[in-house]
């Protein structure tokens, strides 16, 4: 192949533009489906405890508060080890470190089947958080090694459809396991669920060692012209970013602002993720398989919405309103789910709207900090934002469980999530447009 010209930009309908588009398609097909698959099994292992609750709470005589604390304590371990894990990934490479993360969390998730007391439940959830720390921000960082900001929104959205896909796949699967595997070989359905759903994490973790390349230069499936073009685009993108010393990253007002925005959105994500089966059950549905099938509906529409809005945001080069408007719609859906809590059809409509809004904002949010952080600052900053934001995964489930015990209803918890989604949307609009528009 002839050497590719090296102008800083290319226009549409030129050989260079066609070559660039074809190369990014090649990269996308190589990386994104596999990364998506990794995150599907990661998120499934993280939130399948919400389905386990349908049987586990009764079998082990846990209160709603105990369950909420156990579900949320995952994020304490996650928080403590998040930044160190992501800095290690940046130094040793994504291939080895992501494989380590996936194999270790798969083993721990499967071992949760042996829990018999609240203390054991807390310990296993904490260890799961320790094992998984660094996975999500590591993937976000890894995507920045391959894609410039102008292409990153849709790629991150495609990757993060894994959250919705895990609900789409995991809901019916978990419901089936709970219903049909209960009692097999003397094990409860929830025990089989933890065991069966842990196996893919270990298998795919091993596959990571053979599929991922740490950097563009390491990719044997790209020719020299393709590598050079991709590296030029990344180099040009990096020039607009700040590579701050770690001390400045941790004290940066921008990073703390991003952390607060992400906290507001994540509290909505995990509030719905951990409690959606319970909310559906509260509308009058009792069969575990039916609950699983119904919980798949919001995630199905969320997948479509995430891809469409992510693509539109990239084409328009606009981030703030593409985040804020879905956040407000998500808040409306959460609120309406309380108003229609005794009508399954209307509640499912509201929960679908809420889930779509929450799922849309999460991938687009990451186009904000990655627009101005680079190098080690990106590794530490992304990890810090993710770890602080994911404390909402502890706060949200615990508070919802506490409020449900106190009021015998999930409505007060949904009101809490509504407020945070509105706050996240308003804070996003406070971010200067010049900082994040590409």
């Amino acid at each position: 192949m002839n050497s590719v010209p090296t102008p800083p930009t290319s226009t549409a309908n030129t050989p260079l533009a066609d070559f660039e588009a074809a190369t990014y398609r090649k990269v996308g097909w190589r990386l994104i489906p596999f990364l998506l698959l990794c995150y599907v099994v990661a998120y499934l292992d993280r939130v399948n405890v919400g389905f386990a609750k349908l049987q586990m709470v009764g079998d082990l005589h846990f209160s709603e508060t105990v369950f909420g604390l156990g579900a949320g304590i995952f994020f304490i371990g996650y928080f403590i080890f998040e930044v160190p894990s992501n800095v290690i990934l940046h130094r040793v490479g994504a291939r080895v470190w992501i494989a380590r993360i996936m194999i270790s969390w798969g083993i721990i998730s499967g071992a949760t089947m042996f829990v018999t007391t609240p203390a054991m439940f807390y310990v296993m959830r904490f260890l799961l958080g320790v094992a998984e720390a660094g996975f999500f921000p590591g993937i976000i960082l890894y995507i920045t090694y391959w894609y410039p900001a102008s292409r990153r929104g849709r790629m991150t959205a495609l990757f993060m459809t894994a959250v919705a896909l895990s609900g789409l796949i995991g809901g019916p699967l978990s419901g089936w396991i709970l219903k049909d595997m209960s009692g097999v070989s003397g094990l409860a359905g929830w025990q089989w669920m933890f065991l069966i759903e842990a196996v893919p994490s270990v298998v795919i973790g091993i596959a990571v060692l053979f599929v991922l390349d740490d950097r563009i230069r390491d990719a044997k499936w790209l020719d020299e012209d393709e590598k050079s073009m991709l590296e030029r685009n990344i180099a040009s993108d990096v020039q607009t970013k700040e590579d701050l010393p770690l001390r400045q990253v941790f004290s940066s007002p921008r990073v703390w602002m991003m952390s607060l925005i992400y906290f507001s959105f994540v509290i909505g994500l995990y509030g719905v993720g951990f409690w959606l089966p319970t909310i559906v059950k509260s509308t009058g549905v009792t069969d575990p398989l039916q609950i699983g099938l119904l919980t798949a509906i919001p995630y199905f529409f969320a997948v479509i919405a995430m891809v469409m809005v992510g693509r539109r945001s990239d084409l328009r080069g606009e981030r703030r309103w593409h985040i804020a408007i879905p956040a407000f719609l998500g808040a409306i859906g959460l609120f309406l789910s309380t108003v229609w809590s005794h009508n399954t059809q209307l509640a499912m409509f509201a929960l679908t709207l809420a889930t779509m809004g929450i799922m849309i904002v999460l991938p687009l949010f990451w186009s904000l900090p990655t627009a101005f952080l680079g190098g080690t600052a990106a590794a530490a900053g992304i990890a810090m934002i993710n770890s602080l934001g994911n404390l909402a995964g502890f706060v949200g489930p615990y508070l919802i469980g506490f409020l449900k015990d106190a009021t015998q209803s999930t409505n007060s918890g949904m009101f809490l999530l509504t407020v945070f989604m509105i706050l996240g949307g308003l804070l996003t609009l406070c971010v200067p447009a010049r900082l994040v528009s590409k």
Side-chain angles (χ1 to χ4, degrees), residues 379-400:
I382 291 170
M384 177 180 167
I385 292 165
N386 192 61
S387 60
L388 289 172
N390 271 288
L391 285 178
F394 170 76
V395 174
Y398 175 72
L399 285 179
I400 293 175

Side-chain angles (χ1 to χ4, degrees), residues 157 161 300-311 356-357 359-360:
T161 57
F300 171 79
F301 287 100
V303 169
I304 299 171
M306 290 171 75
V307 174
M308 291 178 62
V309 178
R311 184 175 185 275
M356 289 172 63
M359 292 292 106
I360 288 169

Side-chain angles (χ1 to χ4, degrees), residues 32-180:
I32 299 302
F34 185 72
L35 295 177
L36 186 152
L37 179 62
C38 291
Y39 198 33
V40 165
V41 297
Y43 196 78
L44 185 59
D45 281 347
R46 185 186 298 184
V47 302
N48 59 8
V49 70
F51 273 94
K53 175 182 181 292
L54 298 176
Q55 294 179 352
M56 189 180 189
V57 167
D59 289 352
L60 302 182
H61 307 292
F62 289 175
S63 69
E64 300 287 348
T65 304
V66 166
F67 169 78
L69 178 58
I73 208 168
F74 165 96
F75 295 97
I76 301 300
Y78 197 86
F79 170 77
I80 294 171
F81 291 93
E82 184 84 323
V83 173
S85 181
N86 217 36
V87 172
I88 292 172
L89 182 147
H90 183 62
R91 291 177 178 173
V92 307
R95 186 176 64 89
V96 171
W97 199 245
I98 290 174
R100 192 284 304 165
I101 290 172
M102 294 191 68
I103 293 169
S104 61
W105 96 52
I107 293 170
I108 293 170
S109 181
T112 307
M113 67 182 289
F114 299 113
V115 163
T116 57
T117 67
M120 291 176 67
F121 184 43
Y122 299 154
V123 169
M124 295 308 296
R125 292 292 295 175
F126 177 82
L127 291 177
L128 186 65
V130 172
E132 194 179 324
F135 174 77
F136 175 77
I139 297 295
I140 295 298
L141 180 64
Y142 185 68
I143 289 174
T144 69
Y145 296 163
W146 295 83
Y147 291 96
S150 60
R151 294 179 179 270
R152 204 175 298 138
R154 75 193 80 173
M155 292 301 106
T156 305
L158 284 170
F159 163 63
M160 289 193 67
T161 57
V163 177
L165 286 171
S166 69
L168 183 62
I169 298 167
L173 175 62
S174 298
W176 172 77
I177 294 172
L178 290 178
K179 181 178 181 180
D180 289 359

